[in-house]
């Protein structure tokens, strides 16, 4: 019962918390992100580039931190994620990706651009970090992805993504 | 072939049975809403998935109860000369197995989470546009899966005593397991909210021990019933005093000098036979004893033969 009283006292905004304090740590040291090549989300090459790379770098800027990129295969990067050596993994990951069983995943985004739902994998159980990422994606994903994925833009359906894009200029200036 | 006399519950018990059946239908309807509600808030949480699978197991005892009450209504016939009462015991075995598997499942599942140090992830949902933590939605779903079943289960326990119905009793224990698990999951989700990744699994493991204990107890009781163990009370805690009462009653009859009784359970009811030494008229005893010996000599499989002289057969003989 003491837990219940704690819930009341601390307020809902602080919950959930991260077991490994990921959100607090990335505000002091760079965000450790893994990228699997999968254009247009992550381009092939020796430096991280692509639609989702831009998305994560913008997220880091909002948190007031940098991104330390690690490029590699799905298997390698997901193993690192599960071992808490990475904070998130990108690469046009689809919701049904079997590697996601041992990780946490964001809400799907990007369906209106590439035609399929894409998620970002985060370290398992770091729920505060995940909720923060989801909030950011909800506000900015459409606006950040728009310039990167123009080819399929006409497929955009009216709704979440469209509304977010329309409000993007104002949101671009603001903080998280 | 001789058949057992058809069995009818006394009026008070019939009323209780009627209520029990209504409660079981209510349980099935209610569990359906719980399973749907939980499914909608599952997310990617392994813990919630486990709780959901357990809820599916809870369907087994009420269904077993409803089927067995249907079967036991049948009158004894030439295929089942002892009647259909024992369908209750089979349903009891099924119900207790469901309870035991529930406990085993919950314990292994939570132990694995702890051993592998799996951190449960609970993400967000966006039913109103803005993404919100799914944990908040798990609270009402879990409360709905805990509170009503608490009262349903308590009522079933009362009816089980009245009806001497062990299936109902096992089902009431399943319902207790249900609300305990939901309560543990609730504490678990709160724990996860506070960044304690192990809270969910620890709460579930503790609860699973209690469920395992109930499951083993009921499985042993059900197997014992099928093996014609001395009758015990519905909660399996004590030996039923009824056989002793029967013995004392017979011993006080003036024509009986000495008596041994043997009682076994057939579902709700007991079957008893008593060997008595008559005090005065022993004219027929020698003949019966001789006939029993010769009857047993017919075939080695005729192991225990009881011959009881009666004035008139209870009913027309069923075809042999």
């Amino acid at each position: 019962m003491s837990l219940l009283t704690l819930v009341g006292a601390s307020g809902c905004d602080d919950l959930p918390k991260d077991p490994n304090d990921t959100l607090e740590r990335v505000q002091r040291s760079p965000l450790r992100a893994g990228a699997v090549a999968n254009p247009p989300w992550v381009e092939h090459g020796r430096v991280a580039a692509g639609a989702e790379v831009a998305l994560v770098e913008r997220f880091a800027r909002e948190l007031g931190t940098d991104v330390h990129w690690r490029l590699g295969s799905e298997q390698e990067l997901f193993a690192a994620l599960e071992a808490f050596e990475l904070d998130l993994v990108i690469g046009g990951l689809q919701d049904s990706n079997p590697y996601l069983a041992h990780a946490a995943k964001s809400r799907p985004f990007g369906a209106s651009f590439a035609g399929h739902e894409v998620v970002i994998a985060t370290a398992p159980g770091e729920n505060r970090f995940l909720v923060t990422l989801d909030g950011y994606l909800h506000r900015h994903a459409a606006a950040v992805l728009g310039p990167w994925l123009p080819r399929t833009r006409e497929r955009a359906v009216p709704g979440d993504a469209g509304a977010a894009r329309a409000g993007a200029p104002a949101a671009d200036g603001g903080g998280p | 072939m001789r058949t057992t006399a058809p069995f009818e519950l006394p009026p008070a018990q019939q009323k209780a049975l009627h209520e029990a059946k209504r409660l079981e239908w209510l349980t099935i309807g209610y569990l359906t809403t719980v399973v749907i509600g939980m499914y909608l808030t599952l997310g990617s949480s392994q813990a919630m998935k486990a709780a959901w699978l357990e809820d599916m197991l809870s369907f087994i005892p009420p269904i077993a109860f409803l089927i067995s009450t249907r079967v036991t209504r049948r009158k004894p016939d030439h295929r089942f000369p002892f009647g259909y009462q024992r369908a209750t015991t089979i349903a009891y075995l099924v119900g207790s197995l469901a309870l035991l598997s529930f406990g085993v499942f919950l314990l292994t599942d939570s132990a694995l989470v702890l051993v592998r140090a799996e951190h449960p992830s609970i993400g967000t949902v966006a039913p109103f546009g803005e993404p919100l933590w799914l944990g908040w939605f798990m609270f009402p779903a879990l409360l709905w899966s805990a509170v009503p079943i608490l009262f349903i289960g308590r009522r079933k326990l009362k009816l089980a005593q009245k009806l001497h119905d062990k299936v109902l009793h096992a089902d009431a224990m399943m319902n207790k397991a249900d609300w305990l698990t939901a309560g543990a999951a609730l504490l678990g989700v709160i724990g996860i909210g506070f960044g304690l990744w192990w809270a969910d699994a620890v709460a579930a493991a503790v609860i699973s021990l209690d469920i395992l204990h109930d499951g083993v107890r009921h499985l042993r009781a059900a197997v014992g019933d099928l093996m014609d163990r001395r009758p015990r009370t519905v909660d399996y805690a004590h030996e039923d005093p009824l056989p002793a009462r029967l013995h004392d009653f017979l011993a006080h009859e003036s024509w009986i000098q000495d008596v041994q009784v043997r009682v076994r359970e057939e579902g709700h009811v007991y079957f008893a036979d008593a060997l008595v030494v008559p005090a005065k008229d022993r004219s027929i005893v020698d003949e019966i004893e001789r006939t029993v010996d010769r009857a047993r000599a017919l075939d080695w499989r005729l192991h225990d033969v009881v011959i009881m002289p009666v004035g008139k057969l209870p009913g027309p003989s069923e075809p042999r």
Side-chain angles (χ1 to χ4, degrees):
Chain A
M1 285 306 102
S2 60
L3 273 176
L4 279 172
T5 12
L6 267 174
V7 175
S10 68
C12 299
D13 289 347
D14 301 345
L15 297 180
K17 292 188 188 303
D18 288 331
N20 291 352
D21 298 322
T22 297
L23 188 68
E24 285 171 33
R25 199 201 61 243
V26 299
Q27 283 162 334
R28 296 190 306 266
S29 59
L31 180 72
R32 304 164 306 173
V36 183
N38 182 10
W41 308 101
V42 176
E43 301 293 344
H44 291 282
R46 303 184 64 176
V47 246
E52 265 185 299
V53 173
L55 193 60
V56 169
E57 289 193 325
R58 169 72 206 273
F59 178 51
R61 221 167 43 241
E62 285 217 350
L63 296 176
T65 188
D66 299 320
V67 185
H68 183 272
W69 287 103
R70 177 165 159 191
L71 306 179
S73 69
E74 251 180 13
Q75 185 166 11
E76 176 197 345
L77 294 180
F78 269 98
L81 188 66
E82 203 186 339
F84 300 101
E85 291 159 15
L86 289 175
D87 300 317
L88 58 82
V89 170
I90 58 167
L93 304 168
Q94 290 191 44
D95 209 14
S96 55
N97 190 315
Y99 280 114
L100 287 168
H102 297 287
K105 63 185 178 204
S106 73
R107 288 183 54 68
F109 59 90
S112 41
F113 298 104
H116 57 84
E117 303 265 38
V118 165
V119 299
I120 292 179
T122 62
E126 297 302 287
N127 295 321
R128 174 128 211 95
F129 181 69
L130 178 59
V131 169
T132 310
L133 175 65
D134 273 343
Y136 160 78
L137 290 174
H138 172 73
R139 289 189 304 273
H140 301 301
V144 177
L145 292 175
W148 282 90
L149 306 160
R151 289 164 290 177
T152 46
R153 205 170 181 179
E154 58 270 22
R155 275 201 239 163
V157 285
D160 277 2
R165 196 157 60 245
D172 269 335
Chain B
M1 182 174 279
R2 176 189 161 210
T3 59
T4 305
F7 168 72
E8 294 266 338
L9 283 170
Q13 271 69 18
Q14 272 189 15
K15 238 183 92 196
L17 179 67
H18 188 72
E19 193 190 338
K21 278 200 237 168
R22 258 198 14 232
L23 262 183
E24 293 293 28
W25 279 114
L26 181 74
T27 308
I28 290 175
Y30 157 77
L31 279 176
T32 310
T33 67
V34 168
V35 165
I36 293 172
M38 298 269 281
Y39 181 77
L40 293 177
T41 51
L42 276 181
S44 62
S45 151
Q46 249 353 86
M48 282 293 274
K49 263 180 205 158
W52 186 69
L53 277 175
E54 288 150 19
D55 278 332
M56 299 294 268
L57 272 180
S58 313
F59 278 106
I60 296 174
I63 291 172
F65 176 83
L66 288 170
I67 293 175
S68 77
T69 48
R70 251 172 190 268
V71 173
T72 50
R73 264 213 317 250
R74 292 190 200 159
K75 291 188 166 47
D77 51 35
H78 71 282
R79 285 197 313 141
F80 289 89
F82 290 91
Y84 289 86
Q85 291 297 322
R86 199 162 265 189
T88 308
T89 312
I90 295 168
Y92 181 39
L93 181 72
V94 170
S96 59
L97 264 178
L99 189 60
L100 182 66
S101 2
F102 187 121
V104 171
F105 182 86
L106 191 59
L107 183 64
T108 43
D109 192 71
S110 43
L112 276 179
V113 168
L114 288 175
V115 169
R116 294 187 192 148
E118 278 174 19
H119 294 201
S121 312
I122 302 178
T124 64
V125 282
F128 318 113
E130 187 76 15
L132 296 163
W133 190 46
L134 184 56
W136 303 128
F137 295 89
M138 288 176 176
F139 287 119
L142 285 170
L143 277 177
W144 175 243
S145 84
V147 178
I149 203 73
L150 179 81
F151 294 103
I152 293 176
R154 292 216 164 158
R155 184 74 200 136
K156 278 183 196 161
L157 212 54
K158 283 219 182 73
L159 290 173
Q161 300 279 1
K162 199 166 179 183
L163 276 171
H164 189 78
D165 194 310
K166 301 184 175 182
V167 190
L168 206 56
H169 195 269
D171 186 29
M173 289 298 110
M174 191 74 169
N175 294 157
K176 181 182 140 204
D178 280 340
W179 71 258
L180 279 175
T181 323
L186 209 64
L187 285 178
V189 173
I190 293 173
I192 290 170
F194 280 96
L196 311 172
W197 63 268
W198 43 262
D200 199 27
V202 168
V206 170
I207 295 304
S208 73
L209 292 180
D210 186 59
I211 297 167
L212 265 182
H213 177 251
D214 280 341
V216 168
R217 201 165 55 111
H218 281 279
L219 184 63
R220 283 182 54 182
V223 170
D225 283 0
L226 284 171
M227 291 187 62
D228 291 338
R229 186 212 338 87
R230 271 182 87 141
R232 294 187 80 87
T233 50
V234 171
D235 57 9
Y236 194 60
H238 316 280
E239 270 185 6
D240 193 318
L242 195 51
R245 261 176 68 201
L246 178 65
H247 178 275
D248 293 349
F249 166 76
L250 292 174
H252 282 92
E253 287 287 290
S254 60
W255 67 276
I256 294 173
Q257 186 188 316
D258 212 355
V259 59
Q260 280 181 350
V261 299
R262 192 172 58 173
V263 182
R264 63 191 164 95
E265 289 179 54
E266 287 271 343
H268 297 117
V269 292
Y270 291 177
F271 283 21
D273 45 55
L275 299 184
V276 298
V277 181
K280 302 182 289 258
D281 182 12
R282 307 183 65 142
S283 55
I284 203 172
V285 173
D286 293 341
E287 241 162 304
I288 289 179
E289 278 183 345
R290 261 202 312 278
T291 312
V292 165
D293 286 343
R294 282 168 50 218
R296 289 189 61 211
L298 280 178
D299 191 308
W300 60 270
R301 288 172 300 175
L302 281 171
H303 177 63
D304 190 333
V305 177
V306 176
I307 296 177
M308 181 168 114
V310 289
K312 186 167 136 291
L313 290 174
S317 277
E318 290 271 344
R320 306 206 309 158

